[in-house]
Amino acid sequence: MPLRIIVCGGGIGGLSAAGFLRAKHDVTVLERGTLDFTVNDYGLSVVSNSFNLLQRAGIKSEDLDMVVMTHVWLRGHNNEELRTAYFDTKARFGGAPSVLVKRAKLHKELLRFATSTEFPGTPAKIIENAKVTRVDALAGKVWTENGQEFEGDLIVGADGIYSVVRSAILGGQEISASIRTHDTLTFMTQLSIDDLRSEPSFAYLCDPQTQAGLVSAHAKAGPRLNKRILIYHTSPNSLQVVGYTSEKEFAEIFDSTKTAIIRDIPASRAVEEFAPDFAECFVNLFRHNKIDAWRIRDVAPMDSWFSGKAVVIGDAAHAVTPHAGQGCNITIEDAEALAYFLRDVESPDSIPEALQKFMSLRKDRVAFVIRRSRELGNMRTEEDKTKEPITSEEFAREIYTYQGAEHALKAPKPSAMGAGMMGTSS
């Protein structure tokens, strides 16, 4: 008999989980809002480790309006070339390419994955405007703000960093208690390829059908100053600009409004922040479109990702800082792995064993990504400092070559995912 599975959250993680799980089980997705593919349309890197899983599942690349990532450019504060690296994961490791895409395009395609009759199993039922306010992990029950009650054999918490399901698994802990901040925010804006054409020093970004990727530029004081600018393509016609800096006056606003995004920051504020440390060509990138400030956060590690009839995946289980570009990717990995371990489960009594196997496979790998991301963001913990930094080569070989849960179970556990290998960070 198929399991009755309730997925809390209809974002990238929730719809990925629904798509993979529906092949064998009956899935209901509770989405707190309305699925609107015109908002939160920021860029994502869907790297080979997760894009491989989506391709095999039947996601259509032609529906994503994406570009294939080919390069990583390291630039100085004047936009001078420091190093250019080729980033062709398909050619280097086999499997899939890595792509850059707008979130809304991926989100819409994942809705098709969850609900279209083109895919195996019964289409998932999507219930919008169903904000989950309470979860009973032992009973497998969920209540929404409008008074509805749902009961299932398993509750999957894909409800993000403010996860109600995580709170239930942790015995009713205050939701915000697990969330950590790092005195870091990003000023985020978008622009078109045409906006760059008047600046000759950005010519290398103006033909994404030939070469596309990510630019990383540190302030003139170097990486020791926690201030840098990233630029990356999000479609054949657009790019995203992300400026990292400290929170300053925004810390109080984030705290008082209990939000992680402050909309419509004046361009003058971003210019003021970056003008002392970057050339005018970089500073001008913040003059084209509206700017939002995003607070950088992660969550404290959980001893167990499940309890009773509830399990968490993605940001709900292990929100990670964005520096390694793996947030949505390890979430999609979670979704595929959870479905793999539940594929032959027909009785609720067998669920705990499956969840234990799921967490055992995923936990060290996720911790490896989280540590690398903290290293890249100059946010190492005291425990991190007792280990040798993860090199870019180690990270690439262990993360980008992932082929899914079944393959991972058969592969030897990589040594670098243990206490840390000798070497220098690169």
Side-chain angles (χ1 to χ4, degrees), residues 271-326:
V271 169
E272 172 193 346
E273 188 66 28
F274 295 106
D277 301 291
F278 292 89
E280 190 72 7
C281 62
F282 280 119
V283 176
N284 284 340
L285 298 174
F286 293 97
R287 301 182 191 270
H288 292 279
N289 206 340
K290 70 173 188 173
I291 300 167
D292 297 330
W294 292 56
R295 191 175 216 177
I296 301 302
R297 306 160 297 163
D298 59 10
V299 296
M302 298 174 67
D303 291 333
S304 177
W305 296 359
F306 69 94
S307 177
K309 297 181 178 181
V311 63
V312 283
I313 65 170
D315 282 356
H318 48 69
V320 58
T321 62
H323 301 89
Q326 278 289 315

Side-chain angles (χ1 to χ4, degrees), residues 7 12 47 49-50 67 115 118 127 130 133 148 174 184 188 203 216 234 241 256 261 272 373 377 392 418:
V7 177
I12 299 295
V47 189
N49 50 304
S50 68
V67 293
T115 61
E118 298 175 50
I127 302 177
T133 55
Q148 288 183 287
E174 171 65 32
T184 302
M188 189 179 295
S216 178
T234 57
V241 180
S256 62
I261 305 174
E272 172 193 346
S373 191
S392 58

